[in-house]
Amino acid sequence: MNITNRAKAHEEIDRIFLDLLPRRGMVVREAQVRLCHNMLDSMDDGRIALCDAGVGLGKTYAYLTAGILFRKYTQNASERPILITTASIALQNAVLGEYIPFLSDVMLEAGMIDRPLKAVLRKGKAHYACDDRLIKRLSKANLEQKNERNKRALLSLKTQLDLDDVAHLSTYDRNQVCVPDMCDCYLTDCRYQRFVRDSRSPEYVVQVCNHNFFLADAIHRSAGIPSLVPDYCAAIIDEAH
């Protein structure tokens, strides 16, 4: 960021936490505001910041705001996402389903962004259905002998890609239909491949994953293998302990 843009970014941090969020009923936390300012400076300086934030401080809004404003005001960063990696599924779901939509609404209403913030959850292959393996499983499974819940779960995979979103899917069926480590089927344009391509789109401002996926991506990059996520402008490791 140049000096002018850095000042604008810091001004918008103060506006968000001291004005806009309190209008939505949120309490001003000075430590939260300082944390956001410090993280923005660390990103802009290309430094690693180790931040110890206690429960209830509001660190998620702090790092999301810092990352979004860093991306907004940094030249050549607007096409690269912010990568957020967490240790728990609960936090991933909260970031995607609560924090980002709320912050997006606040910033959009204030004119700080011109379109809603979009985010995508990235997971390992085993979390997704393989169309080829699903076809084979359905051709061999005796559906009449399966209990009704397991049967409905298996059949729902015709339209449902994420296995984690399917209740009552048996462990056996999951292992039979998940995307394998090595994709070698005849399908050249399956749902999983389309999802991977689509999730690399610059329209996703935030990429969310767990620590294992983040480390796997780092291994890919160090080995010269195509990365699992697009090149990002900043990485935020939440629950790093």
Side-chain angles (χ1 to χ4, degrees):
M1 274 186 275
N2 58 39
I3 295 175
T4 300
N5 282 348
R6 187 159 173 161
K8 287 180 179 178
H10 281 295
E11 288 173 3
E12 290 196 357
I13 287 175
D14 285 336
R15 185 183 176 197
I16 288 170
F17 288 102
L18 303 180
D19 181 20
L20 300 179
L21 294 186
R23 289 187 194 177
R24 299 291 188 106
M26 298 180 68
V27 177
V28 174
R29 299 182 178 92
E30 294 297 335
Q32 181 188 44
V33 183
R34 287 196 302 271
L35 177 62
C36 188
H37 282 299
N38 290 338
M39 286 192 288
L40 175 65
D41 285 339
S42 296
M43 292 177 189
D44 193 33
D45 294 339
R47 295 185 283 111
I48 295 174
L50 300 178
C51 307
D52 184 14
V55 176
L57 180 69
K59 60 183 172 60
T60 308
Y61 282 124
Y63 68 61
L64 282 174
T65 301
I68 291 163
L69 293 178
F70 171 71
R71 183 180 184 272
K72 174 183 176 181
Y73 283 109
T74 301
Q75 186 178 10
N76 301 322
S78 61
E79 295 300 311
R80 291 183 289 156
I82 297 118
L83 178 65
I84 297 172
T85 168
T86 80
S88 69
I89 294 174
L91 182 53
Q92 291 171 9
N93 291 338
V95 168
L96 287 160
E98 300 172 27
Y99 291 101
I100 290 177
F102 178 76
L103 189 59
S104 175
D105 185 49
V106 169
M107 297 180 75
L108 198 61
E109 186 178 288
M112 292 181 175
I113 54 176
D114 58 7
R115 66 191 66 181
L117 299 171
K118 294 189 67 176
V120 61
L121 177 61
R122 307 301 306 280
K123 297 185 283 190
K125 292 179 178 180
H127 292 271
Y128 301 99
C130 166
D131 286 341
D132 179 47
R133 299 185 79 198
L134 177 60
I135 291 170
K136 292 175 180 176
R137 176 63 185 142
L138 289 174
S139 69
K140 294 179 180 179
N142 189 336
L143 297 180
E144 298 306 318
Q145 291 186 357
K146 295 180 75 68
N147 70 58
E148 193 60 31
R149 293 195 307 181
N150 291 157
K151 176 182 174 180
R152 285 199 303 267
L154 183 59
L155 290 174
S156 73
L157 296 180
K158 292 180 179 180
T159 57
Q160 181 63 259
L161 177 64
D162 192 330
L163 301 179
D164 297 335
D165 292 339
V166 179
H168 310 302
L169 182 66
S170 71
T171 301
Y172 180 80
D173 283 339
R174 184 184 180 107
N175 291 336
Q176 290 295 305
V177 303
C178 68
V179 177
D181 289 338
M182 298 297 293
C183 294
D184 58 358
C185 73
Y186 65 94
L187 298 176
T188 58
D189 190 36
C190 69
R191 287 180 295 160
Y192 172 71
Q193 292 168 336
R194 288 197 296 271
F195 166 74
V196 171
R197 286 198 301 270
D198 293 346
S199 61
R200 299 182 72 91
S201 168
E203 73 179 13
Y204 292 112
V205 175
V206 181
Q207 299 259 335
V208 181
C209 66
N210 63 22
H211 296 337
N212 286 340
F213 196 86
F214 174 68
L215 293 174
D217 177 74
I219 292 171
H220 275 228
R221 292 172 187 271
S222 66
I225 303 172
S227 63
L228 299 177
V229 295
D231 290 339
Y232 42 87
C233 61
I236 299 163
I237 306 174
D238 199 348
E239 301 178 316
H241 60 288

